[in-house]
């Protein structure tokens, strides 16, 4: 049975209401109207962060460079075994890369500390409760980092798997029973705590 529109229906078509487009996970941000965004927070942030300060720039470079460097070197080693051949042993090569990573992390921490000291301090962060929140974050972060290192060992921590140095089994004890990435979460808590302090 077919239905056709009557004369009255053709003269008065059904209500054409606009439907809101729902963003889906695969549609990206193409449907976002950026002119509707409230960016006043970023304007206020400029009062506290001087991106032209040389110590700030060095800290940003160190933050970006460090993981880029060690991931590129580790992937290169995995594909070529170049460091293992150079040092004559995958263990010695891993220990040397680990030592370089430690030095780079010390420099990154130092450059971040210098950069934070040269920036304007937000008065909201002056309270003692903020200071102690920073201390608590650093204690928690250090607990995660140190316990991760103890559970993984030096070669497990410093990319030994890229050198062909594998652990006998997956580590599932503390702190890996809390989160899969305790070293990253611990480092993040340490840097946030340092910033609050």
């Amino acid at each position: 049975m077919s239905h056709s529109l009557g004369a009255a229906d053709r003269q008065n078509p059904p209500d054409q209401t606009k439907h809101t487009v729902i963003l889906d996970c695969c549609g990206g941000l193409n449907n976002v109207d950026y002119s509707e965004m409230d960016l006043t927070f970023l304007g206020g942030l400029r009062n506290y962060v001087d991106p032209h300060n040389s110590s700030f720039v060095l800290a940003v470079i160190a933050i970006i460079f460090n993981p880029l460097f060690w991931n590129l070197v580790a992937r290169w080693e995995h594909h070529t075994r170049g460091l293992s051949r150079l040092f004559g042993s995958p263990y010695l090569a891993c220990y040397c890369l680990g030592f370089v990573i430690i030095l780079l992390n010390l420099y990154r921490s130092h450059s971040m500390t210098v950069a934070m000291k040269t920036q304007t301090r937000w008065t909201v962060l002056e309270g003692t409760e903020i200071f102690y929140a920073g201390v608590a974050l650093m204690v928690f972060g250090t607990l995660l980092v140190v316990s991760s290192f103890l559970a993984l060992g030096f070669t497990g921590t410093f990319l030994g798997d890229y050198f062909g140095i594998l652990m006998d089994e997956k580590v599932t004890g503390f702190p890996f029973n809390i989160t899969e990435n305790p070293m990253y979460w611990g480092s993040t808590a340490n840097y946030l705590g340092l910033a609050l302090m």
Side-chain angles (χ1 to χ4, degrees):
M1 177 176 191
S2 67
H3 296 283
S4 61
L5 291 174
D9 292 330
R10 282 190 295 264
Q11 290 174 352
N12 299 318
D15 184 43
Q16 300 289 331
T17 59
K18 285 188 173 182
H19 295 322
T20 304
V21 177
I22 298 173
L23 296 177
D24 63 4
C25 68
C26 301
L29 299 175
N30 295 334
N31 298 325
V32 176
D33 182 4
Y34 293 102
S35 66
E36 299 287 326
M37 293 177 65
D38 180 11
L39 300 176
T40 54
F41 169 74
L42 293 178
L45 189 61
R46 292 184 63 201
N47 296 329
Y48 299 102
V49 177
D50 178 11
H52 303 293
N53 180 291
S54 61
S55 61
F56 178 82
V57 172
L58 285 174
V60 169
I61 289 171
I63 290 166
I64 293 169
F65 175 77
N66 285 9
L68 182 66
F69 168 78
W70 71 64
N71 279 293
L72 288 175
V73 170
R75 289 173 190 268
W76 175 76
E77 167 63 21
H78 179 71
H79 292 294
T80 67
R81 297 292 185 231
L83 288 177
S84 293
R85 283 195 312 272
L86 177 68
F87 286 99
S89 161
Y91 284 90
L92 183 57
C94 183
Y95 282 114
C96 288
L97 178 61
F99 182 69
V100 170
I101 291 171
I102 290 169
L103 291 177
L104 287 171
N105 285 339
L106 288 172
Y107 177 74
R108 177 180 59 188
S109 296
H110 171 73
S111 65
M112 287 180 62
T113 302
V114 170
M116 285 186 284
K117 287 181 179 180
T118 62
Q119 299 294 319
T120 304
R121 185 149 171 94
W122 195 17
T123 55
V124 173
L125 298 177
E126 294 291 334
T128 55
E129 62 278 353
I130 299 297
F131 175 82
Y132 287 116
V135 170
L137 278 169
M138 287 197 70
V139 168
F140 178 68
T142 302
L143 174 68
L144 289 178
V145 170
V146 170
S147 60
S148 298
F149 179 81
L150 293 175
L152 295 173
F154 193 92
T155 57
T157 300
F158 293 105
L159 307 168
D161 52 337
Y162 287 91
F163 292 83
I165 305 167
L166 303 175
M167 302 189 76
D168 294 332
E169 58 187 42
K170 183 178 179 177
V171 177
T172 57
F174 182 80
F176 293 92
N177 59 356
I178 295 174
T179 178
E180 287 190 24
N181 301 302
M183 192 76 71
Y184 294 127
W185 286 111
S187 294
T188 301
N190 281 337
Y191 286 118
L192 180 58
L194 182 63
L196 292 177
M197 289 171 54

